[in-house]
Amino acid sequence: MIVRQLQVGGMGNYSYIVAAEKGGPCVVIDPGWDVPVLLEELKKGGFTLAAVLLTHGHYDHSQAVPELLQAAPAPLYYDRNDAGLLGFEAVDARPFEGDFTADLGFASARFIHTPGHTAGSCCIQLGNNLFTGDTLFLDACGRTDLPGSDTKAMYRSLLRLAAMDGGLEVWPGHAYSEQAHLPMADVAANNPCIKAARRGEDDFLFMMGF
Ligand SMILES: [Fe+2]
């Protein structure tokens, strides 16, 4: 898989372009900002947009969807629990609920439901890559003090992610760390939120300020 990690906007967001090969179909994950930058990258790689995938509905991950889909029409996949957070309606919306696999032709996108930051937060697996949005950062996890957040759900989601294949490459939703991506084995061993979750629910809630 080819992964293009693009830092966009003023909040350190990452948007991603993922494809099996140059000149082929691709997905865009979390287009929150800078559509011209995304379109330029698509053009450079000769990529055609097969779908847009959202890790969750917050505006900094999704507000550029209408502009992107106007330039390159494609289906939009998101968990319906976050539908109320989206400030637009997509022409070809493909809402799902919970764990879900989308067959995109060139690849399967596996959505792993990881609520906590929002009710509809997902991590998206494409090949050996796991796009973790605002659920799991390399050195932290997403906030759970926002409307729709659930700290106990985040606790369970982090344990679920930490139990996944250590060889998966973790690609977070924000540039909050020195490294841009890391294997799950490294994240699971060192991430303070995962470490607290492994000590138990009480330790995790305490660390998160609850
Ligand atoms: Fe978020």
Side-chain angles (χ1 to χ4, degrees), residues 120-149:
S121 281
C122 297
C123 296
I124 304 169
Q125 185 180 353
L126 278 150
N128 194 44
N129 304 292
L130 189 67
F131 300 90
T132 54
D134 286 0
T135 297
L136 179 64
F137 304 120
L138 302 181
D139 301 306
C141 65
R143 289 172 60 175
T144 59
D145 59 340
L146 303 166
S149 291

Side-chain angles (χ1 to χ4, degrees), residues 56 58 60-61 117-118 134 146 174:
H56 65 298
H58 282 154
D60 57 319
H61 297 255
H117 178 65
T118 65
D134 286 0
L146 303 166
H174 287 265

